Amino acid sequence: MTPAARGHLAMLAFSALVAGSFALGSMAAGHIAPAALNAPRFVLAAMIVGAGAAMTTGIPRSTWRAPWRYLLLGGAMGLYFVLMFEGLKTAPPVSAAAVFTLTPVMAGLAGYVMLRQITTPRMALALAIGAMGALWVIFRADLGALIAFEVGRGEVIYFWGCAAHAIYTPLVRLLNRGERPVAFSFGTMLAAAGLITLAGWSDIAATDWAALPGIVWITLIYTAVFATALTFVLLQYASLHLPSAKVMAYTYLTPSWVICWQVALGHPVPGGLMLAGIGLTVVALFLLLKDETAVLR
């Protein structure tokens, strides 16, 4: 497989793994503060990735050149996850996943500003279709709510987290100086863990860890191992081999994966009108993934 093909495969796995954090996160969000959940999550994820890097490619000293890069990347990703769990306190998982599908639009804009990556007409059309589908799901397939722009508080909070995620994608390519994805991810996770711990220390100290229900521990372990450690490496790799908008195109699969997760966990399937909006996001995915032969560099 070419590096680009492996990048696409990495993002396919990324979208499926991320979807699980929506389904599980919505069940755990009401029991623990977002910072209290995400600080140990990033610590555990950093330990896993760091151990994996040490046993394989190693972490060369050159990785720690210009450590401020990791503070920027860790800050962006830490902000995303904290706002995600804050939003999931009130936003339904499928609606939150639909907000996530707005990320490619923002990533395309960020990619142009930071890297001058050109969005072709086909990509612009795909982003517009995906955004339409996302908005339809966010407003619960209610035309009146869409016209009045009645959007939930949780969705608004999570939107700003997605903006941080969109900036993170081109930032990886801009700041990477040849470091391997695993080592680069390790530095980012350490920075995110430190920043979240400092910002949310009062919430961490106030949490009664012994009294937390099992779903919180399940969510913590899943998000640390699968939705953080593994997806960080997948996203880092894909960001180095694909344009930012195409990397984030796979977020269009997230609502579909969330529905699969929801059904597996015993929740009902969304109504037909909402499924129509999700269908538009899938159409956008295929348009974005079509090879572009005239992309300006």
Side-chain angles (χ1 to χ4, degrees):
M1 296 177 67
T2 65
R6 288 195 294 268
H8 286 297
L9 183 60
M11 289 309 299
L12 181 63
F14 170 91
S15 64
L17 293 171
V18 164
S21 63
F22 287 97
L24 295 173
S26 65
M27 300 168 68
H31 302 289
I32 186 172
L37 175 66
N38 282 285
R41 164 202 190 165
F42 272 98
V43 170
L44 179 57
M47 291 171 62
I48 294 170
V49 172
M55 292 185 296
T56 54
T57 59
I59 304 175
R61 293 181 61 181
S62 59
T63 300
W64 308 113
R65 291 175 300 176
W68 57 268
R69 298 176 297 157
Y70 301 112
L71 292 175
L72 289 179
L73 291 166
M77 194 52 67
L79 181 63
Y80 164 75
F81 280 113
V82 169
L83 293 180
M84 172 187 176
F85 280 91
E86 184 65 34
L88 282 172
K89 290 181 178 180
T90 56
V94 176
S95 294
V99 175
F100 189 47
T101 62
L102 295 175
T103 310
V105 178
M106 295 184 281
L109 292 173
Y112 174 75
V113 172
M114 296 181 183
L115 304 172
R116 289 298 184 264
Q117 291 178 338
I118 303 299
T119 298
T120 64
R122 178 185 294 278
M123 292 176 69
L125 174 63
L127 293 172
I129 292 174
M132 290 171 54
L135 289 172
W136 189 243
V137 176
I138 292 168
F139 289 101
R140 279 83 163 173
D142 184 341
L143 186 59
L146 178 61
I147 294 174
F149 208 76
E150 296 174 0
V151 61
R153 177 177 179 274
E155 286 88 342
V156 172
I157 291 173
Y158 183 46
F159 172 82
W160 293 110
C162 290
H165 196 303
I167 294 171
Y168 172 86
T169 306
L171 207 57
V172 169
R173 182 173 289 194
L174 183 66
L175 298 180
N176 184 274
R177 297 183 179 179
E179 294 88 356
R180 293 180 180 273
V182 174
F184 205 55
S185 297
F186 177 60
T188 302
M189 287 181 195
L190 280 180
L195 291 171
I196 294 174
T197 299
L198 288 174
W201 180 250
S202 59
D203 289 334
I204 297 170
T207 300
D208 185 357
W209 295 94
L212 292 174
I215 186 61
V216 173
W217 294 105
I218 292 172
T219 302
L220 175 59
I221 294 172
Y222 177 85
T223 54
V225 178
F226 299 101
T228 306
L230 186 52
T231 58
F232 253 69
V233 177
L234 294 172
L235 182 59
Q236 296 272 17
Y237 182 86
S239 297
L240 294 173
H241 296 93
L242 298 173
S244 298
K246 287 200 174 188
V247 168
M248 300 317 297
Y250 280 93
T251 62
Y252 288 135
L253 281 183
T254 305
S256 301
W257 284 120
V258 169
I259 290 175
C260 295
W261 274 90
Q262 289 286 91
V263 172
L265 292 172
H267 298 284
V269 178
L273 290 177
M274 287 186 67
L275 291 177
I278 292 171
L280 286 177
T281 64
V282 176
V283 170
L285 169 70
F286 284 107
L287 284 173
L288 274 175
L289 294 183
K290 183 176 176 62
D291 288 336
E292 299 286 351
T293 58
V295 177
L296 297 178
R297 295 185 180 276

